[in-house]
Amino acid sequence: MSERPPQTLVHTLDRAGQSHILRWWDELSGPERSALVAQIDAIDFNEIRRLWLAARAGNESAAADTPAERARRAQPPADLVRLPETLRDRELWSAAARRGEELLRSGRVGVILVAGGQGTRLGFPHPKGMYPIGPISGCSLYQLLAEQLLARSRRAGVAIPCYVMTSDATHDETVEFFEQQRFFGLDATDVRFFRQGNMPAVDAGSGRLLLAGRSQLATSPDGHGGLLQALKRSGMFADMRARGVEQLYYHQVDNPTVKVCDPAFLGWHVERRADVSTKVVAKRSWDERMGVAVSVDGVAQIIEYSDLPDDVAQQTESDGRLRHWAGSTAVHVFDREFLERLASSQPGLPFHIARKKVPHLDENGEHVEPAEPNASKFERFVFDTLPQARTALAVETDRAREFNPVKNADGADSPATARAALCAIHAGWLRSAGQAVPAGATVEIGPLFALDAEDVQERFRAGHVFDGRVYLG
Ligand code: UTP
C-alpha cells in the first residue's frame, strides 16, 4: 500500500506536533487507515494541548481556580433535606414519597443508567453490569437493576424508559447480554442504549498522543460526564421529549442496593424545584474516599476526595461531627430540560486530569507495559453539572440501605461487602414481617418478589409462608 495520507491530515498533525501517529501508515490496510483517520478526526487538538499544559502545570482540574482552593471556602450544602427525626419530618417524607409516586404514574420519569466505565479496579473481564452479584441467585448487577425498574413500572402502571449509557469498552457485550436475557422482562423498546465518547491519552512528559497499536490511538471513555454530549449526539433527548419524560433518575451500574426510582427522592426533587438533586450519606470517617456535597461561595458542588485537603476534611462542627459529612452516592435526579440546556452550552463540563499507566507502542513498535504512571487521561464528571443549577438539592439517605458499591475485587466496596449488605437488608425485611431469621443468614429477595419491607409484609399478610428457603425471587 503506498497511497499517501490526506494532505489536510498531515498538516493538522504537523501543526499539532502529532505526526508520529502516522508512523506506520504505509503498512496499514485500507480499513485500518480509515479507522485511524476516523479516530484522528474526532480529536480537538487545541483542547488536548490545553489539557496537557494544564496537567503539566499541576492544575489537575484544568480550571482557573484549583479544587483545593475552592475546598477551603466550602460550606455544608445550602439546599439540604436531612433524614427524618421528628414526627413532622416523617410526615414531610411521606408526602414527598406520595408526590414521587404520582410523578411516576404520570409517565414523566425516565432512568439513566451509566455503564460505560472500564471497571479496572474490579478486574472482571466483562462489563461490570454483568458481574454476578446475587448472594444466592448469582444474578447480575444488570438483572438486579432492571428487575427493580420492572417492579417499579408495574407498581406505577406505566413503562419507565431506561437509557443505558455504554462505551466502546462495554457496548457490544452489554447489548448482547440484555438481548440474551430478554431485557429482564422489560419491553425492549423501553431500553435505549447509547454510546459515550472517547478521549485520547497523552504521554505525560511530551504531550504526544499514545498509540495502542499501529493503527489505533490509546483512548478511554470520556468519563460519566460524557453523558451530556452522548445524549445529544444519539438523539436520546428527542426520544425523551417524544415520550414526555421530564425527570431523569440517574444511577450507576455498580450499586446493587440503589433504590431505582425512589419515590421520596423524586418527590423532594420536584417539591424543591431543583434542576438536579443528589443523594448523600454520612461519610464514615474524614478520610473516606468519597466526594462531598458542599456549597462554595453560594454555589453547590461536589468536591472529589482527592481534592479535599486533609485539614479541611478533618474540620468538625461544635458537636464534634464532620463539617463536610455529605458523601455523594452518585445517585441523582435531573430535570431533562436542565441536562439539555447544558448539553448545548459551551464550553461544556470541565475535564479532570489523571496520571495513569497506559500501555502503548514505543517508536520501534514494541509494546510497553509501564510500571509507573506515564500518561495523562482526561475525563468529565457528571457532578460538575451541579454548579450550573439554579437549585441543586442534597437529600440524605440511609447508607447501609442504599450505598454499597462494587468497586474493588476485594476488601472495602467489593462484591463481598455488597452481598453482605444485600443479605442484611433482606433479612431485615423478613424480620419486619415477623419472620425469625438467624443472624448472619444468607438471604436474598429478588426485586420482583419485593422492593421493600412493606412489600414483604404485604406478601406475608396475603398468606405467603416463609418455608426456610432463603431465596425469594
Ligand atoms: P467509576 O468511576 O467507579 O469507574 O464509575 P469504573 O469504570 O466503574 O471503575 P474503575 O475506576 O475503572 O475501577 C462509576 C460509574 O460511572 C460509570 C461506570 O460504568 C459506573 O457506573 N462510568 C464511568 C461511565 O459510564 N463512563 C465512564 O467513562 C466512567
Side-chain angles (χ1 to χ4, degrees), residues 113-122 128 165-167 196-197 220-225 250-254 356 379-380 406-407:
L113 166 60
V114 289
Q118 293 171 303
T120 38
R121 285 170 288 171
L122 182 61
K128 205 188 260 189
M165 185 167 85
T166 59
S167 63
Q196 68 178 108
S220 48
D222 57 358
H224 39 60
Y250 168 106
H251 67 96
Q252 304 191 152
V253 76
D254 56 10
K356 293 275 162 92
E379 274 191 313
R380 284 177 155 141
V406 177
K407 299 283 186 194

PDB file of all heavy atoms in Angstrom, residues 113-122 128 165-167 196-197 220-225 250-254 356 379-380 406-407, ligand 1:
ATOM      1  N   LEU A 113     -28.979   4.949  33.237  1.00  0.00           N
ATOM      2  CA  LEU A 113     -28.046   4.016  33.882  1.00  0.00           C
ATOM      3  C   LEU A 113     -26.694   4.186  33.190  1.00  0.00           C
ATOM      4  O   LEU A 113     -26.594   3.959  31.975  1.00  0.00           O
ATOM      5  CB  LEU A 113     -28.562   2.588  33.714  1.00  0.00           C
ATOM      6  CG  LEU A 113     -27.587   1.445  34.026  1.00  0.00           C
ATOM      7  CD1 LEU A 113     -27.113   1.504  35.466  1.00  0.00           C
ATOM      8  CD2 LEU A 113     -28.269   0.098  33.772  1.00  0.00           C
ATOM      9  N   VAL A 114     -25.669   4.613  33.933  1.00  0.00           N
ATOM     10  CA  VAL A 114     -24.360   4.784  33.291  1.00  0.00           C
ATOM     11  C   VAL A 114     -23.522   3.524  33.477  1.00  0.00           C
ATOM     12  O   VAL A 114     -23.282   3.073  34.592  1.00  0.00           O
ATOM     13  CB  VAL A 114     -23.602   6.043  33.764  1.00  0.00           C
ATOM     14  CG1 VAL A 114     -24.255   7.300  33.231  1.00  0.00           C
ATOM     15  CG2 VAL A 114     -23.459   6.120  35.271  1.00  0.00           C
ATOM     16  N   ALA A 115     -23.134   2.948  32.360  1.00  0.00           N
ATOM     17  CA  ALA A 115     -22.456   1.653  32.391  1.00  0.00           C
ATOM     18  C   ALA A 115     -21.321   1.620  31.369  1.00  0.00           C
ATOM     19  O   ALA A 115     -21.090   0.607  30.721  1.00  0.00           O
ATOM     20  CB  ALA A 115     -23.475   0.554  32.105  1.00  0.00           C
ATOM     21  N   GLY A 116     -20.637   2.757  31.248  1.00  0.00           N
ATOM     22  CA  GLY A 116     -19.572   2.828  30.246  1.00  0.00           C
ATOM     23  C   GLY A 116     -18.178   2.674  30.840  1.00  0.00           C
ATOM     24  O   GLY A 116     -17.195   2.627  30.110  1.00  0.00           O
ATOM     25  N   GLY A 117     -18.088   2.584  32.161  1.00  0.00           N
ATOM     26  CA  GLY A 117     -16.770   2.537  32.806  1.00  0.00           C
ATOM     27  C   GLY A 117     -16.029   1.241  32.508  1.00  0.00           C
ATOM     28  O   GLY A 117     -16.640   0.219  32.196  1.00  0.00           O
ATOM     29  N   GLN A 118     -14.710   1.304  32.627  1.00  0.00           N
ATOM     30  CA  GLN A 118     -13.884   0.130  32.301  1.00  0.00           C
ATOM     31  C   GLN A 118     -13.767  -0.847  33.465  1.00  0.00           C
ATOM     32  O   GLN A 118     -13.309  -1.969  33.279  1.00  0.00           O
ATOM     33  CB  GLN A 118     -12.500   0.591  31.864  1.00  0.00           C
ATOM     34  CG  GLN A 118     -12.531   1.345  30.536  1.00  0.00           C
ATOM     35  CD  GLN A 118     -11.211   1.995  30.217  1.00  0.00           C
ATOM     36  OE1 GLN A 118     -10.698   2.797  30.996  1.00  0.00           O
ATOM     37  NE2 GLN A 118     -10.632   1.668  29.081  1.00  0.00           N
ATOM     38  N   GLY A 119     -14.150  -0.397  34.655  1.00  0.00           N
ATOM     39  CA  GLY A 119     -14.138  -1.288  35.816  1.00  0.00           C
ATOM     40  C   GLY A 119     -12.764  -1.884  36.094  1.00  0.00           C
ATOM     41  O   GLY A 119     -12.650  -3.054  36.471  1.00  0.00           O
ATOM     42  N   THR A 120     -11.733  -1.067  35.960  1.00  0.00           N
ATOM     43  CA  THR A 120     -10.377  -1.616  36.084  1.00  0.00           C
ATOM     44  C   THR A 120     -10.090  -2.167  37.478  1.00  0.00           C
ATOM     45  O   THR A 120      -9.450  -3.202  37.621  1.00  0.00           O
ATOM     46  CB  THR A 120      -9.313  -0.555  35.730  1.00  0.00           C
ATOM     47  OG1 THR A 120      -9.756   0.691  36.239  1.00  0.00           O
ATOM     48  CG2 THR A 120      -9.099  -0.435  34.255  1.00  0.00           C
ATOM     49  N   ARG A 121     -10.621  -1.491  38.508  1.00  0.00           N
ATOM     50  CA  ARG A 121     -10.304  -1.952  39.867  1.00  0.00           C
ATOM     51  C   ARG A 121     -10.925  -3.313  40.162  1.00  0.00           C
ATOM     52  O   ARG A 121     -10.342  -4.131  40.853  1.00  0.00           O
ATOM     53  CB  ARG A 121     -10.797  -0.919  40.895  1.00  0.00           C
ATOM     54  CG  ARG A 121      -9.936   0.306  40.969  1.00  0.00           C
ATOM     55  CD  ARG A 121     -10.595   1.383  41.793  1.00  0.00           C
ATOM     56  NE  ARG A 121     -11.717   1.989  41.103  1.00  0.00           N
ATOM     57  CZ  ARG A 121     -12.583   2.838  41.641  1.00  0.00           C
ATOM     58  NH1 ARG A 121     -12.451   3.172  42.908  1.00  0.00           N
ATOM     59  NH2 ARG A 121     -13.563   3.366  40.942  1.00  0.00           N
ATOM     60  N   LEU A 122     -12.105  -3.567  39.628  1.00  0.00           N
ATOM     61  CA  LEU A 122     -12.761  -4.860  39.878  1.00  0.00           C
ATOM     62  C   LEU A 122     -12.056  -5.978  39.113  1.00  0.00           C
ATOM     63  O   LEU A 122     -11.973  -7.117  39.578  1.00  0.00           O
ATOM     64  CB  LEU A 122     -14.244  -4.777  39.473  1.00  0.00           C
ATOM     65  CG  LEU A 122     -15.078  -6.033  39.710  1.00  0.00           C
ATOM     66  CD1 LEU A 122     -15.109  -6.380  41.202  1.00  0.00           C
ATOM     67  CD2 LEU A 122     -16.505  -5.843  39.190  1.00  0.00           C
ATOM     68  N   LYS A 128     -19.023  -4.341  33.856  1.00  0.00           N
ATOM     69  CA  LYS A 128     -19.296  -4.557  35.279  1.00  0.00           C
ATOM     70  C   LYS A 128     -20.741  -4.987  35.523  1.00  0.00           C
ATOM     71  O   LYS A 128     -21.040  -5.763  36.444  1.00  0.00           O
ATOM     72  CB  LYS A 128     -18.983  -3.284  36.059  1.00  0.00           C
ATOM     73  CG  LYS A 128     -18.654  -3.523  37.511  1.00  0.00           C
ATOM     74  CD  LYS A 128     -18.557  -2.223  38.275  1.00  0.00           C
ATOM     75  CE  LYS A 128     -17.142  -1.780  38.468  1.00  0.00           C
ATOM     76  NZ  LYS A 128     -17.073  -0.613  39.419  1.00  0.00           N
ATOM     77  N   MET A 165     -26.212   4.146  29.183  1.00  0.00           N
ATOM     78  CA  MET A 165     -25.001   4.670  28.531  1.00  0.00           C
ATOM     79  C   MET A 165     -23.893   3.619  28.568  1.00  0.00           C
ATOM     80  O   MET A 165     -23.512   3.145  29.637  1.00  0.00           O
ATOM     81  CB  MET A 165     -24.501   5.951  29.182  1.00  0.00           C
ATOM     82  CG  MET A 165     -23.311   6.526  28.408  1.00  0.00           C
ATOM     83  SD  MET A 165     -22.881   8.204  28.877  1.00  0.00           S
ATOM     84  CE  MET A 165     -21.817   7.891  30.281  1.00  0.00           C
ATOM     85  N   THR A 166     -23.430   3.271  27.391  1.00  0.00           N
ATOM     86  CA  THR A 166     -22.320   2.322  27.263  1.00  0.00           C
ATOM     87  C   THR A 166     -21.126   3.066  26.663  1.00  0.00           C
ATOM     88  O   THR A 166     -21.222   4.245  26.363  1.00  0.00           O
ATOM     89  CB  THR A 166     -22.703   1.178  26.308  1.00  0.00           C
ATOM     90  OG1 THR A 166     -23.016   1.769  25.041  1.00  0.00           O
ATOM     91  CG2 THR A 166     -23.895   0.393  26.815  1.00  0.00           C
ATOM     92  N   SER A 167     -20.033   2.334  26.472  1.00  0.00           N
ATOM     93  CA  SER A 167     -18.852   2.914  25.823  1.00  0.00           C
ATOM     94  C   SER A 167     -18.316   1.858  24.868  1.00  0.00           C
ATOM     95  O   SER A 167     -18.799   0.713  24.861  1.00  0.00           O
ATOM     96  CB  SER A 167     -17.791   3.237  26.874  1.00  0.00           C
ATOM     97  OG  SER A 167     -17.378   2.033  27.499  1.00  0.00           O
ATOM     98  N   GLN A 196     -21.111   6.519  24.847  1.00  0.00           N
ATOM     99  CA  GLN A 196     -20.382   7.743  25.174  1.00  0.00           C
ATOM    100  C   GLN A 196     -19.144   7.852  24.293  1.00  0.00           C
ATOM    101  O   GLN A 196     -18.786   6.890  23.592  1.00  0.00           O
ATOM    102  CB  GLN A 196     -19.995   7.752  26.649  1.00  0.00           C
ATOM    103  CG  GLN A 196     -18.959   6.730  27.035  1.00  0.00           C
ATOM    104  CD  GLN A 196     -18.591   6.820  28.509  1.00  0.00           C
ATOM    105  OE1 GLN A 196     -18.966   5.953  29.302  1.00  0.00           O
ATOM    106  NE2 GLN A 196     -17.849   7.842  28.881  1.00  0.00           N
ATOM    107  N   GLY A 197     -18.501   9.020  24.338  1.00  0.00           N
ATOM    108  CA  GLY A 197     -17.318   9.247  23.513  1.00  0.00           C
ATOM    109  C   GLY A 197     -16.044   8.765  24.175  1.00  0.00           C
ATOM    110  O   GLY A 197     -16.057   8.232  25.299  1.00  0.00           O
ATOM    111  N   SER A 220      -9.731   6.122  26.024  1.00  0.00           N
ATOM    112  CA  SER A 220     -10.616   5.524  27.026  1.00  0.00           C
ATOM    113  C   SER A 220     -11.908   6.328  27.066  1.00  0.00           C
ATOM    114  O   SER A 220     -11.954   7.453  26.539  1.00  0.00           O
ATOM    115  CB  SER A 220      -9.926   5.465  28.388  1.00  0.00           C
ATOM    116  OG  SER A 220      -9.344   6.689  28.671  1.00  0.00           O
ATOM    117  N   PRO A 221     -12.959   5.779  27.680  1.00  0.00           N
ATOM    118  CA  PRO A 221     -14.230   6.503  27.738  1.00  0.00           C
ATOM    119  C   PRO A 221     -14.030   7.888  28.377  1.00  0.00           C
ATOM    120  O   PRO A 221     -13.168   8.050  29.261  1.00  0.00           O
ATOM    121  CB  PRO A 221     -15.107   5.608  28.611  1.00  0.00           C
ATOM    122  CG  PRO A 221     -14.497   4.247  28.525  1.00  0.00           C
ATOM    123  CD  PRO A 221     -13.030   4.464  28.344  1.00  0.00           C
ATOM    124  N   ASP A 222     -14.830   8.854  27.938  1.00  0.00           N
ATOM    125  CA  ASP A 222     -14.578  10.244  28.356  1.00  0.00           C
ATOM    126  C   ASP A 222     -15.199  10.618  29.706  1.00  0.00           C
ATOM    127  O   ASP A 222     -15.407  11.788  29.986  1.00  0.00           O
ATOM    128  CB  ASP A 222     -15.023  11.223  27.250  1.00  0.00           C
ATOM    129  CG  ASP A 222     -16.490  11.065  26.873  1.00  0.00           C
ATOM    130  OD1 ASP A 222     -17.164  10.173  27.432  1.00  0.00           O
ATOM    131  OD2 ASP A 222     -16.971  11.832  26.019  1.00  0.00           O
ATOM    132  N   GLY A 223     -15.484   9.614  30.534  1.00  0.00           N
ATOM    133  CA  GLY A 223     -15.994   9.876  31.887  1.00  0.00           C
ATOM    134  C   GLY A 223     -17.520   9.917  31.893  1.00  0.00           C
ATOM    135  O   GLY A 223     -18.142  10.128  30.853  1.00  0.00           O
ATOM    136  N   HIS A 224     -18.115   9.724  33.097  1.00  0.00           N
ATOM    137  CA  HIS A 224     -19.598   9.729  33.100  1.00  0.00           C
ATOM    138  C   HIS A 224     -20.160  11.082  32.708  1.00  0.00           C
ATOM    139  O   HIS A 224     -21.314  11.190  32.289  1.00  0.00           O
ATOM    140  CB  HIS A 224     -20.194   9.188  34.398  1.00  0.00           C
ATOM    141  CG  HIS A 224     -19.488   9.569  35.658  1.00  0.00           C
ATOM    142  ND1 HIS A 224     -19.329  10.858  36.051  1.00  0.00           N
ATOM    143  CD2 HIS A 224     -18.888   8.796  36.618  1.00  0.00           C
ATOM    144  CE1 HIS A 224     -18.680  10.881  37.209  1.00  0.00           C
ATOM    145  NE2 HIS A 224     -18.385   9.649  37.565  1.00  0.00           N
ATOM    146  N   GLY A 225     -19.322  12.129  32.808  1.00  0.00           N
ATOM    147  CA  GLY A 225     -19.772  13.449  32.344  1.00  0.00           C
ATOM    148  C   GLY A 225     -19.897  13.517  30.827  1.00  0.00           C
ATOM    149  O   GLY A 225     -20.459  14.483  30.293  1.00  0.00           O
ATOM    150  N   TYR A 250     -30.964   9.152  37.687  1.00  0.00           N
ATOM    151  CA  TYR A 250     -29.631   8.760  37.223  1.00  0.00           C
ATOM    152  C   TYR A 250     -28.969   7.868  38.277  1.00  0.00           C
ATOM    153  O   TYR A 250     -28.929   8.229  39.458  1.00  0.00           O
ATOM    154  CB  TYR A 250     -28.805  10.033  37.026  1.00  0.00           C
ATOM    155  CG  TYR A 250     -27.318   9.830  36.830  1.00  0.00           C
ATOM    156  CD1 TYR A 250     -26.747   9.984  35.570  1.00  0.00           C
ATOM    157  CD2 TYR A 250     -26.474   9.540  37.906  1.00  0.00           C
ATOM    158  CE1 TYR A 250     -25.372   9.827  35.381  1.00  0.00           C
ATOM    159  CE2 TYR A 250     -25.107   9.370  37.724  1.00  0.00           C
ATOM    160  CZ  TYR A 250     -24.569   9.514  36.465  1.00  0.00           C
ATOM    161  OH  TYR A 250     -23.218   9.362  36.275  1.00  0.00           O
ATOM    162  N   HIS A 251     -28.476   6.715  37.849  1.00  0.00           N
ATOM    163  CA  HIS A 251     -27.687   5.921  38.799  1.00  0.00           C
ATOM    164  C   HIS A 251     -26.609   5.123  38.079  1.00  0.00           C
ATOM    165  O   HIS A 251     -26.627   4.975  36.857  1.00  0.00           O
ATOM    166  CB  HIS A 251     -28.585   5.021  39.661  1.00  0.00           C
ATOM    167  CG  HIS A 251     -29.271   3.940  38.906  1.00  0.00           C
ATOM    168  ND1 HIS A 251     -28.770   2.668  38.830  1.00  0.00           N
ATOM    169  CD2 HIS A 251     -30.400   3.926  38.177  1.00  0.00           C
ATOM    170  CE1 HIS A 251     -29.579   1.925  38.100  1.00  0.00           C
ATOM    171  NE2 HIS A 251     -30.571   2.666  37.677  1.00  0.00           N
ATOM    172  N   GLN A 252     -25.685   4.610  38.874  1.00  0.00           N
ATOM    173  CA  GLN A 252     -24.527   3.900  38.317  1.00  0.00           C
ATOM    174  C   GLN A 252     -24.809   2.405  38.299  1.00  0.00           C
ATOM    175  O   GLN A 252     -25.695   1.921  38.994  1.00  0.00           O
ATOM    176  CB  GLN A 252     -23.293   4.193  39.170  1.00  0.00           C
ATOM    177  CG  GLN A 252     -23.016   5.669  39.282  1.00  0.00           C
ATOM    178  CD  GLN A 252     -21.665   5.983  39.891  1.00  0.00           C
ATOM    179  OE1 GLN A 252     -21.089   7.018  39.597  1.00  0.00           O
ATOM    180  NE2 GLN A 252     -21.157   5.115  40.747  1.00  0.00           N
ATOM    181  N   VAL A 253     -23.980   1.705  37.559  1.00  0.00           N
ATOM    182  CA  VAL A 253     -24.214   0.276  37.412  1.00  0.00           C
ATOM    183  C   VAL A 253     -23.691  -0.517  38.613  1.00  0.00           C
ATOM    184  O   VAL A 253     -24.032  -1.685  38.796  1.00  0.00           O
ATOM    185  CB  VAL A 253     -23.553  -0.222  36.100  1.00  0.00           C
ATOM    186  CG1 VAL A 253     -22.039  -0.347  36.252  1.00  0.00           C
ATOM    187  CG2 VAL A 253     -24.158  -1.508  35.625  1.00  0.00           C
ATOM    188  N   ASP A 254     -22.912   0.142  39.469  1.00  0.00           N
ATOM    189  CA  ASP A 254     -22.144  -0.649  40.436  1.00  0.00           C
ATOM    190  C   ASP A 254     -22.738  -0.731  41.839  1.00  0.00           C
ATOM    191  O   ASP A 254     -22.109  -1.283  42.727  1.00  0.00           O
ATOM    192  CB  ASP A 254     -20.697  -0.128  40.503  1.00  0.00           C
ATOM    193  CG  ASP A 254     -20.625   1.347  40.840  1.00  0.00           C
ATOM    194  OD1 ASP A 254     -21.662   1.926  41.215  1.00  0.00           O
ATOM    195  OD2 ASP A 254     -19.534   1.925  40.721  1.00  0.00           O
ATOM    196  N   LYS A 356      -2.111   8.115  34.765  1.00  0.00           N
ATOM    197  CA  LYS A 356      -2.399   6.681  34.778  1.00  0.00           C
ATOM    198  C   LYS A 356      -1.322   5.915  34.024  1.00  0.00           C
ATOM    199  O   LYS A 356      -0.591   6.491  33.209  1.00  0.00           O
ATOM    200  CB  LYS A 356      -3.744   6.411  34.088  1.00  0.00           C
ATOM    201  CG  LYS A 356      -4.961   6.952  34.826  1.00  0.00           C
ATOM    202  CD  LYS A 356      -5.440   5.969  35.871  1.00  0.00           C
ATOM    203  CE  LYS A 356      -6.345   6.587  36.902  1.00  0.00           C
ATOM    204  NZ  LYS A 356      -7.731   6.564  36.683  1.00  0.00           N
ATOM    205  N   GLU A 379     -11.056  13.120  31.743  1.00  0.00           N
ATOM    206  CA  GLU A 379     -12.430  12.634  31.936  1.00  0.00           C
ATOM    207  C   GLU A 379     -13.333  13.762  32.411  1.00  0.00           C
ATOM    208  O   GLU A 379     -12.904  14.622  33.187  1.00  0.00           O
ATOM    209  CB  GLU A 379     -12.452  11.588  33.056  1.00  0.00           C
ATOM    210  CG  GLU A 379     -12.160  10.188  32.631  1.00  0.00           C
ATOM    211  CD  GLU A 379     -12.465   9.209  33.765  1.00  0.00           C
ATOM    212  OE1 GLU A 379     -12.045   9.473  34.909  1.00  0.00           O
ATOM    213  OE2 GLU A 379     -13.136   8.215  33.519  1.00  0.00           O
ATOM    214  N   ARG A 380     -14.600  13.702  31.991  1.00  0.00           N
ATOM    215  CA  ARG A 380     -15.599  14.626  32.518  1.00  0.00           C
ATOM    216  C   ARG A 380     -16.424  13.898  33.572  1.00  0.00           C
ATOM    217  O   ARG A 380     -16.667  12.700  33.440  1.00  0.00           O
ATOM    218  CB  ARG A 380     -16.524  15.081  31.408  1.00  0.00           C
ATOM    219  CG  ARG A 380     -15.869  16.101  30.507  1.00  0.00           C
ATOM    220  CD  ARG A 380     -16.782  16.493  29.376  1.00  0.00           C
ATOM    221  NE  ARG A 380     -16.465  17.805  28.891  1.00  0.00           N
ATOM    222  CZ  ARG A 380     -16.483  18.156  27.614  1.00  0.00           C
ATOM    223  NH1 ARG A 380     -16.827  17.267  26.689  1.00  0.00           N
ATOM    224  NH2 ARG A 380     -16.182  19.375  27.249  1.00  0.00           N
ATOM    225  N   VAL A 406     -19.845  -1.706  44.244  1.00  0.00           N
ATOM    226  CA  VAL A 406     -18.835  -2.719  43.913  1.00  0.00           C
ATOM    227  C   VAL A 406     -17.744  -2.020  43.105  1.00  0.00           C
ATOM    228  O   VAL A 406     -17.942  -1.692  41.941  1.00  0.00           O
ATOM    229  CB  VAL A 406     -19.464  -3.842  43.057  1.00  0.00           C
ATOM    230  CG1 VAL A 406     -18.407  -4.855  42.637  1.00  0.00           C
ATOM    231  CG2 VAL A 406     -20.601  -4.518  43.810  1.00  0.00           C
ATOM    232  N   LYS A 407     -16.643  -1.751  43.760  1.00  0.00           N
ATOM    233  CA  LYS A 407     -15.547  -1.048  43.075  1.00  0.00           C
ATOM    234  C   LYS A 407     -14.323  -1.950  42.941  1.00  0.00           C
ATOM    235  O   LYS A 407     -13.679  -1.975  41.911  1.00  0.00           O
ATOM    236  CB  LYS A 407     -15.125   0.211  43.863  1.00  0.00           C
ATOM    237  CG  LYS A 407     -16.199   1.254  44.040  1.00  0.00           C
ATOM    238  CD  LYS A 407     -16.423   2.061  42.778  1.00  0.00           C
ATOM    239  CE  LYS A 407     -17.412   3.195  43.016  1.00  0.00           C
ATOM    240  NZ  LYS A 407     -17.893   3.778  41.752  1.00  0.00           N
TER     241      LYS A 407
HETATM  242  P1  UTP B   1     -16.168   4.587  38.323  1.00  0.00           P
HETATM  243  O1  UTP B   1     -15.671   5.967  38.352  1.00  0.00           O
HETATM  244  O2  UTP B   1     -16.244   3.859  39.604  1.00  0.00           O
HETATM  245  O3  UTP B   1     -15.316   3.791  37.260  1.00  0.00           O
HETATM  246  O4  UTP B   1     -17.575   4.592  37.620  1.00  0.00           O
HETATM  247  P2  UTP B   1     -15.387   2.279  36.774  1.00  0.00           P
HETATM  248  O5  UTP B   1     -15.074   2.296  35.331  1.00  0.00           O
HETATM  249  O6  UTP B   1     -16.664   1.603  37.117  1.00  0.00           O
HETATM  250  O7  UTP B   1     -14.238   1.570  37.560  1.00  0.00           O
HETATM  251  P3  UTP B   1     -12.648   1.831  37.617  1.00  0.00           P
HETATM  252  O8  UTP B   1     -12.464   3.237  38.163  1.00  0.00           O
HETATM  253  O9  UTP B   1     -12.098   1.673  36.230  1.00  0.00           O
HETATM  254  O10 UTP B   1     -12.198   0.778  38.547  1.00  0.00           O
HETATM  255  C1  UTP B   1     -18.748   4.936  38.286  1.00  0.00           C
HETATM  256  C2  UTP B   1     -19.903   4.721  37.323  1.00  0.00           C
HETATM  257  O11 UTP B   1     -19.751   5.548  36.188  1.00  0.00           O
HETATM  258  C3  UTP B   1     -19.764   4.784  35.007  1.00  0.00           C
HETATM  259  C4  UTP B   1     -19.356   3.386  35.424  1.00  0.00           C
HETATM  260  O12 UTP B   1     -19.814   2.423  34.494  1.00  0.00           O
HETATM  261  C5  UTP B   1     -20.029   3.301  36.784  1.00  0.00           C
HETATM  262  O13 UTP B   1     -21.415   3.022  36.641  1.00  0.00           O
HETATM  263  N1  UTP B   1     -18.801   5.378  34.046  1.00  0.00           N
HETATM  264  C6  UTP B   1     -17.544   5.680  34.439  1.00  0.00           C
HETATM  265  C7  UTP B   1     -19.217   5.578  32.759  1.00  0.00           C
HETATM  266  O14 UTP B   1     -20.378   5.279  32.396  1.00  0.00           O
HETATM  267  N2  UTP B   1     -18.330   6.106  31.877  1.00  0.00           N
HETATM  268  C8  UTP B   1     -17.073   6.442  32.224  1.00  0.00           C
HETATM  269  O15 UTP B   1     -16.318   6.923  31.349  1.00  0.00           O
HETATM  270  C9  UTP B   1     -16.672   6.233  33.537  1.00  0.00           C
END
